[in-house]
């Protein structure tokens, strides 16, 4: 999703981007990089015209393989902007190619090695992974290298072509102009051209007259070409292709349809008992009816998992034998899943929820896995879920002990963690390759004083590796051996708020835009037509559900699960050491707040969130309450023992007070412990805040937090205005209306509450100043901090 792109290649006509460096051992002049007699990639002069294939316009280098490294090629980019970049390599496949070509990616987290089978996959882009790179030309830490070392001996060769950093913008010209969009948002047709596919076999199937049809028809033919003879594209099954073994094809759509009651359109699964050639067998003689088994297994998995977790009445539609291109074109078992209806309001309430998206994606994966296990006759194991109850606690000797708990999947008994991988990041670098352990804790020694170490954990088993945990950080300062504690209580991911009446249905982004899981790619803009009777006229006047299109190409930040680092940077700048943990670790008494004098509780956009169907609330309860009872108890105990507490979040007051009676325990906790009361939600549109008291920060000092859509930090659409209770006072106000934005209490204990998230303050300088003011208000001296 990186919109920047740098390609380094020996056929570049200038040094921007730089050409690869080909290094040879000085004592072995016979083993040199030479030009191979096969065409390769050349960037050329985009935009690319119809039929232009960049993988036929350049040259390829090659060298004899050696059992000991005696030569190396290096691709060193000039990175335009610090960020994560996908790495793609290219090479030529020959009869003499090795199956273990050693590529090394040098990135901000260290170096990562790959052994690539160059016998297959030549003359296209092969994706290695996504890595963080720092801006600029950094030959030591931003590059890709290829060694001539191979275990296969000296009679083999290794080839080298272009290396690509990042995704970039569209390069293919149609009707005189490019799309103006990032490549990941373009039609598949244009990607396939850039990836070196033969046009009339793969992506130009309608004589250049219908890019829409080429887009969906070309995808199956792409799979066929990757696999190659005798499973090649429909127009020439004996085309050699790229020789990559492809087991399955899966196409994923949303369907059409509207219901007027409280039911979904649901899930349809399509297969084709005939191929493009009207034959009922695949080229190897296997019956195409195996695709029906595949369709049934995947559909069953999807529907069963949704019914157990989200909607007991989710509609299972038919298994359909139909000659849709995505079902009939692939020369391997293939299906087309119509997951839900993009026209139906209830279906879309589910679809916009990242929790639902994860569940469905995992169900598809499990269905494919089970089909393959049955086909090949092996026992399957499903990869584990992410771990939780994570903590990263500094020890008195300056080391850090990490602890976590595995999570058992209630839907899959095989998804049990056997080992774990702990990944480490230092300061603003990238994560390393990880450290394997079979325990649920690990102590990290040798921490450098003043450096921020960040950690994430994955669970692994024979089936694979889980998604990573939240990211926790620690910093050891030799001059301040007693750390403060950061608690990450911002776990929430969910879809937007909605409205449903007989006359109006839709999504209310300005009420609550929800929280994307890390980022959101498919958002077009706010809905403006809520009238259920508004008819579809044309694509330009779609009627009910129509939205603006001003965000159509935007990448929108969600919950990064990396905010202890942001808070920790500001704490470090004030001279303090810090540990961090999840709120679950505090709630379940794995971490005791009373061991610390100062605690920073991150609540972000945490608030009680309902499932998209009311019946699930009664079956499973709600999620993401900002202050669950266990956390309230821990905070109350901490305050009673004289601790100092900083809390920030958009819903810190509204989640406690809104719609609740005076005698509700949440209300009592808010007033009596946090010393706050709710004034109003949606308190600020501008995000401008100023100080009201010299006791906290220089009076009238103004800073800003984010209220706009951004790729860098999530949007705060509904911050709280919080009034001080009893002996507390207002210390910050919103600029446009002078509502109270933050309160402070300092007597038998200390508590400061921001009605907006600290991590969304827009500059490092403002965050540092705010944190310094908080610590000074509590009389915290980094040289005198001690636990209770």
């Amino acid at each position: 999703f990186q919109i920047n792109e740098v390609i380094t290649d020996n056929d570049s006509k200038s040094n921007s981007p730089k050409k690869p460096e080909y290094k040879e051992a000085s004592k072995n002049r016979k083993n040199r990089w030479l030009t191979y007699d096969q065409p390769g990639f050349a960037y050329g002069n985009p935009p690319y015209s119809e039929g232009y294939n960049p993988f036929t316009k350049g040259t390829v280098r090659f060298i004899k393989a050696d059992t000991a490294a005696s030569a190396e090629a290096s691709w060193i980019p000039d990175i335009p902007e610090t960020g994560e970049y996908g790495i793609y390599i290219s090479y030529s496949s020959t009869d003499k190619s090795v199956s273990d070509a050693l590529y090394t990616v040098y990135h901000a987290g260290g170096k990562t090695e790959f052994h690539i089978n160059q016998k297959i996959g030549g003359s296209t882009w092969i994706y290695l992974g996504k890595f963080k790179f720092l801006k600029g030309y950094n030959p030591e830490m931003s590059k890709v290298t290829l060694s001539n070392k191979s275990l296969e001996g000296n009679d083999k060769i290794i080839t080298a072509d272009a290396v690509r950093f990042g995704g970039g913008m569209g390069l293919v010209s149609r009707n005189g102009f490019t799309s103006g969009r990032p490549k990941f948002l373009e039609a598949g047709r244009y990607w396939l051209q850039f990836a070196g596919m033969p046009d009339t076999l793969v992506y130009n199937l309608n004589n250049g007259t219908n890019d829409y049809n080429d887009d969906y028809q070309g995808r199956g033919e792409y799979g066929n070409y990757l696999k190659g003879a005798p499973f090649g594209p429909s127009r020439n099954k004996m085309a050699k292709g790229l020789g990559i073994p492809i087991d399955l094809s899966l196409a994923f759509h949303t369907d059409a349809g509207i219901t007027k009651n409280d039911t979904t359109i649901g899930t349809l699964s399509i297969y084709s008992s005939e191929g493009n050639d009207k034959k009922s067998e695949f080229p190897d003689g296997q019956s195409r009816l195996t695709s029906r088994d595949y369709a049934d297994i995947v559909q069953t998995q999807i529907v069963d998992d949704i019914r157990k977790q989200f909607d007991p009445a989710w509609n299972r539609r038919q298994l359909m034998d139909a000659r849709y291109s995505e079902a009939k074109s692939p020369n391997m078992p293939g299906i087309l899943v119509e997951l839900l209806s993009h026209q139906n309001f209830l279906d879309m309430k589910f679809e916009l929820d990242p929790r639902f998206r994860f569940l469905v994606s995992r169900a598809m994966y499990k269905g494919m896995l089970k089909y393959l296990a049955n086909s090949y006759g092996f026992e399957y194991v499903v990869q584990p879920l992410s771990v939780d109850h994570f903590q990263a606690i500094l020890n008195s000797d300056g080391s850090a002990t990490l602890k976590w708990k595995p999570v058992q999947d209630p839907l899959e008994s095989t998804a049990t963690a056997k080992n774990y991988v702990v990944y480490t990041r230092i300061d603003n670098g990238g994560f390393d390759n990880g450290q394997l352990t079979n325990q649920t804790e690990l102590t990290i020694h040798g921490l450098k004083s003043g450096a921020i170490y960040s950690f994430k954990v994955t669970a692994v088993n024979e089936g694979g590796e889980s998604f990573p945990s939240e990211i926790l950080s620690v910093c050891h300062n030799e001059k301040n051996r007693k750390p403060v504690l950061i608690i990450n209580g911002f776990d929430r991911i969910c879809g937007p708020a909605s409205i449903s009446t007989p006359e109006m249905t839709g999504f209310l982004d300005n009420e609550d835009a929800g929280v994307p899981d890390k980022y959101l790619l498919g958002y077009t803009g706010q809905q403006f037509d809520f009238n259920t009777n508004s008819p579809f006229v044309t694509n330009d006047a779609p009627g009910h559900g129509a939205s603006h299109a001003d965000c159509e190409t935007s990448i929108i930040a969600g919950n990064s699960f990396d905010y202890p680092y942001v808070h920790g940077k500001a704490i470090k700048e004030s001279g303090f050491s810090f540990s961090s943990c999840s709120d679950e670790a505090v709630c379940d008494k794995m971490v005791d707040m009373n061991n610390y004098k100062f605690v920073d509780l991150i609540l972000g956009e945490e608030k009680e969130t309902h499932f998209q169907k009311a019946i699930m609330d009664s079956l499973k309860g709600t999620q993401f309450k900002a202050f669950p009872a266990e956390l309230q108890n821990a905070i109350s105990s901490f305050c009673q023992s004289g601790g100092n507490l900083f809390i920030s979040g958009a819903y810190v007051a509204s989640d406690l007070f809104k719609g609740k009676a005076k005698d509700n325990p949440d209300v009592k906790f808010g007033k009596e412990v946090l010393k706050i009361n709710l004034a109003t939600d949606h308190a600020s549109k501008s995000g401008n805040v100023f100080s009201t008291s010299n006791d906290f920060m220089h009076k009238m000092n103004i800073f800003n937090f984010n209220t706009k859509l951004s790729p860098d930090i999530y949007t705060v659409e509904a911050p709280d205005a919080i009034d001080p209770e009893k002996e507390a006072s207002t210390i910050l106000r919103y600029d446009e209306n002078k509502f109270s934005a933050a309160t402070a209490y300092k007597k038998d204990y200390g508590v400061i509450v921001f009605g907006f998230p600290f991590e969304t303050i827009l500059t490092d300088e403002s965050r540092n100043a705010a944190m310094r003011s908080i610590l000074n208000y509590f009389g915290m001296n980094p040289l005198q901090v001690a636990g209770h």
Side-chain angles (χ1 to χ4, degrees):
F1 309 125
Q2 172 62 255
I3 62 174
N4 294 304
E5 178 184 60
V6 179
I7 298 176
T8 59
D9 177 48
N10 62 294
D11 292 298
S12 297
K13 295 182 179 180
S14 69
N15 284 335
S16 182
K18 288 182 70 68
K19 295 181 180 180
E21 298 177 4
Y22 296 94
K23 299 178 181 178
E24 300 142 5
S26 58
K27 295 181 180 180
N28 187 6
R29 301 305 297 168
K30 294 182 179 179
N31 202 6
R32 306 182 64 182
W33 291 97
L34 303 171
T35 300
Y36 192 63
D37 61 351
Q38 185 171 316
F41 179 87
Y43 188 69
N45 295 294
Y48 298 150
S49 60
E50 174 76 15
Y52 182 93
N53 186 341
F55 277 91
T56 64
K57 306 301 180 181
T59 58
V60 178
R61 304 281 279 177
F62 81 99
I63 197 167
K64 288 185 177 181
D66 199 336
T67 54
S70 58
E72 182 180 83
S74 297
W75 293 261
I76 308 172
D78 190 350
I79 297 295
E81 184 178 356
T82 296
E84 291 187 318
Y85 288 75
I87 300 299
Y88 302 78
I89 59 171
S90 63
Y91 51 84
S92 286
S93 295
T94 76
D95 293 338
K96 292 186 176 182
S97 292
V98 302
S99 62
D100 62 347
L102 175 59
Y103 287 84
T104 304
V105 180
Y106 293 79
H107 51 91
K111 64 178 183 179
T112 305
E113 294 182 344
F114 298 86
H115 285 95
I116 300 300
N117 183 2
Q118 288 197 346
K119 295 178 179 294
I120 61 177
S123 302
T124 192
W125 297 116
I126 300 297
Y127 178 70
L128 296 187
K130 183 172 64 175
F131 304 90
K132 185 173 183 178
F133 292 89
L134 303 182
K135 180 178 179 178
Y137 182 73
N138 301 293
E140 299 304 316
M141 60 183 301
S142 295
K143 63 181 176 180
V144 174
T145 65
L146 171 61
S147 170
N148 73 325
K149 181 180 179 180
S150 170
L151 297 178
E152 298 183 1
N154 297 330
D155 60 337
K156 300 287 187 177
I157 66 169
I158 292 170
T159 59
D161 202 353
V163 171
R164 174 171 167 243
F165 299 75
M169 303 296 288
L171 296 175
V172 173
S173 176
R174 303 294 289 149
N175 295 322
F177 56 90
T178 65
S179 70
R181 297 175 181 236
K183 288 193 187 75
F184 75 86
L185 286 175
E186 285 192 318
R189 183 194 203 277
Y190 313 135
W191 162 259
L192 294 172
Q193 181 174 347
F194 180 61
M197 296 299 103
D199 52 359
T200 56
L201 291 183
V202 175
Y203 67 85
N204 185 3
L205 305 176
N206 294 277
N207 298 317
T209 62
N210 193 325
D211 286 12
Y212 176 81
N213 287 359
D214 283 344
D215 176 55
Y216 69 81
Q217 292 172 3
R219 295 167 187 259
E221 302 296 4
Y222 174 54
N224 294 338
Y225 190 79
L226 290 179
K227 192 166 186 176
F231 304 91
S234 300
R235 292 182 178 180
N236 181 9
K237 292 182 182 179
M238 297 310 297
K240 182 179 180 181
L242 302 187
I244 299 175
I246 304 293
D247 284 297
L248 300 175
S249 169
L250 182 142
F252 168 64
H253 287 195
T254 58
D255 205 354
I258 298 173
T259 64
K260 294 294 186 181
N261 52 23
D262 191 27
T263 60
T264 58
I265 296 297
T267 301
L268 170 72
S269 197
I270 300 170
Y271 67 96
S272 178
S273 57
E274 292 184 343
N276 270 340
D277 56 5
K278 301 292 184 71
K279 293 182 179 179
S280 58
E281 296 87 22
F282 292 112
D284 61 356
Q286 183 183 29
S287 171
R288 281 188 172 266
L289 284 176
T290 190
S291 293
R292 186 188 189 283
D293 299 332
Y294 172 30
D296 192 2
I297 291 171
V298 171
Q299 183 187 32
T300 298
Q301 191 73 62
I302 292 171
V303 173
D304 285 356
D305 286 3
I306 292 174
R307 286 176 178 176
K308 290 173 182 175
Q309 295 284 11
F310 276 93
D311 182 5
W314 187 266
N315 186 28
R316 174 171 181 155
R317 300 165 67 191
Q318 71 268 38
L319 281 172
M320 180 185 290
D321 184 356
R323 289 178 54 79
Y324 283 77
S325 177
E326 297 93 322
K328 68 175 182 174
S329 294
N331 287 321
M332 72 285 294
I335 60 172
L336 167 58
V337 174
E338 299 275 9
L339 175 66
L340 45 71
S341 171
H342 53 257
Q343 289 181 304
N344 194 48
F345 175 62
L346 181 58
D347 289 66
M348 288 306 296
K349 284 178 69 176
F350 289 107
E351 195 276 335
L352 293 176
D353 192 323
R355 296 171 294 176
F356 178 85
R357 295 183 185 190
F358 179 85
L359 178 91
V360 168
S361 300
R362 187 168 169 86
M364 290 185 188
Y365 145 69
K366 290 190 294 184
M368 297 169 80
L369 174 64
K370 291 176 181 180
Y371 170 80
L372 287 173
N374 183 68
S375 299
Y376 285 104
F378 60 78
E379 297 294 325
Y380 70 85
V381 176
V382 173
Q383 69 182 51
L385 292 174
S386 303
V387 304
D388 64 9
H389 289 75
F390 190 21
Q391 57 176 290
I393 304 298
L394 285 177
N395 301 312
S396 58
D397 63 356
S399 62
T401 296
L402 315 179
K403 296 181 181 180
W404 57 88
K405 284 186 176 181
V407 175
Q408 187 61 45
D409 187 348
L411 302 179
E412 181 53 57
S413 60
T414 70
T416 300
K418 297 296 176 66
N419 296 289
Y420 306 91
V421 181
V422 177
Y423 296 91
T424 303
R425 178 184 71 199
I426 303 176
D427 291 326
N428 194 38
F431 280 98
D432 64 11
N433 296 320
Q435 182 176 347
L436 186 69
T437 176
N438 60 6
Q439 303 296 315
T440 56
E441 67 176 84
L442 181 69
T443 298
I444 309 294
H445 297 277
L447 302 184
K448 296 179 181 178
S449 179
I452 298 178
Y453 288 79
S454 301
F455 308 98
K456 61 183 179 180
V457 178
T458 60
V460 293
N461 62 14
E462 298 91 336
E465 184 174 16
S466 74
F467 281 75
S469 67
E470 63 190 301
I471 300 170
L472 296 181
S473 301
V474 301
C475 180
H476 167 64
N477 186 333
E478 282 288 349
K479 297 180 180 180
N480 165 233
R481 288 181 171 269
K482 290 288 187 178
V484 301
L485 177 66
I486 301 171
I487 302 173
N488 182 30
F490 182 20
D491 309 306
R492 183 173 175 241
I493 53 172
C494 67
S498 60
I499 183 173
S500 180
T501 72
E503 294 79 25
M504 294 180 65
T505 60
F507 298 99
L508 304 173
D509 298 346
N510 56 344
E511 169 66 22
D512 178 6
V515 184
D517 187 351
K518 298 184 178 64
Y519 43 75
L520 181 64
L521 301 174
Y523 183 70
T524 60
Q526 283 194 350
Q527 182 178 339
F528 61 80
D529 191 333
F530 292 84
N531 183 356
T532 55
N533 296 313
S534 183
F536 173 88
V537 180
T538 66
N539 285 337
D540 296 329
H544 177 228
S547 66
H548 297 286
D550 55 314
C551 300
E552 207 165 72
T553 62
S554 299
I555 299 173
I556 297 168
N559 191 343
S560 71
F561 301 94
D562 194 11
Y563 303 116
Y565 174 72
V566 179
H567 286 237
K569 280 200 301 180
I571 290 172
K572 170 197 165 184
E573 289 300 315
S574 291
F576 289 85
S577 299
F578 65 87
S579 299
S580 60
C581 68
S582 67
D583 57 337
E584 293 88 1
V586 172
C587 290
D588 287 353
K589 301 181 179 179
M590 296 171 61
V591 174
D592 187 354
M593 293 173 63
N594 292 311
N595 291 332
Y596 301 87
K597 190 173 182 180
F598 175 77
V599 170
D600 175 358
L601 174 58
I602 302 170
L603 287 178
E605 289 201 310
E606 195 82 351
K607 74 170 181 177
E608 188 171 18
T609 303
H610 299 270
F611 283 88
Q612 302 295 0
K613 201 163 188 180
I615 189 174
M616 298 310 291
D617 283 347
S618 60
L619 293 175
K620 300 183 65 177
T622 56
Q623 286 186 293
F624 310 126
K625 186 174 181 178
F627 295 96
E630 298 85 355
L631 184 58
Q632 290 185 28
N633 292 336
I635 290 173
S636 297
S637 173
F638 175 70
C639 292
Q640 288 169 9
S641 65
N644 297 297
L645 177 65
F646 168 49
I647 302 174
S648 66
Y651 306 113
V652 289
S654 53
D655 205 43
L656 284 171
F657 289 90
K658 197 169 183 180
K660 297 176 182 177
K662 294 181 179 179
D663 60 349
N664 187 287
D666 289 351
V667 173
K668 291 182 177 180
F669 171 77
K671 288 186 175 184
E672 296 173 6
V673 179
L674 301 185
K675 308 297 184 183
I676 63 172
N677 205 338
L678 174 66
T680 184
D681 54 14
H682 293 78
S684 176
K685 186 73 172 175
S686 69
N688 296 332
V689 179
F690 69 91
S691 174
T692 64
S693 170
N694 287 329
D695 290 341
F696 173 67
M697 182 183 284
H698 181 67
K699 200 169 183 179
M700 302 306 293
N701 191 355
I702 296 178
F703 58 89
N704 314 92
F705 63 91
N706 185 53
T707 59
K708 296 178 173 60
L709 296 177
S710 165
D712 302 315
I713 185 67
Y714 65 89
T715 308
V716 183
E717 68 273 18
D720 278 347
I722 51 177
D723 285 338
E725 189 71 12
K726 297 180 180 177
E727 297 177 76
S729 60
T730 292
I731 55 174
L732 298 174
R733 292 188 182 276
Y734 297 114
D735 187 49
E736 71 256 48
N737 49 32
K738 309 306 182 285
F739 291 170
S740 177
T743 63
Y745 171 83
K746 182 174 64 173
K747 193 176 179 183
D748 45 339
Y749 61 90
V751 59
I752 287 178
V753 182
F754 281 17
F756 57 92
F758 175 87
E759 63 271 13
T760 64
I761 297 174
L762 288 174
T763 67
D764 287 341
E765 293 78 11
S766 295
R767 286 193 298 273
N768 293 343
M771 186 62 74
R772 186 165 54 249
S773 297
I774 293 165
L775 293 163
N776 288 341
Y777 183 85
F778 292 139
M780 302 282 291
N781 184 326
L783 301 182
Q784 297 175 352
V785 175
H788 300 326

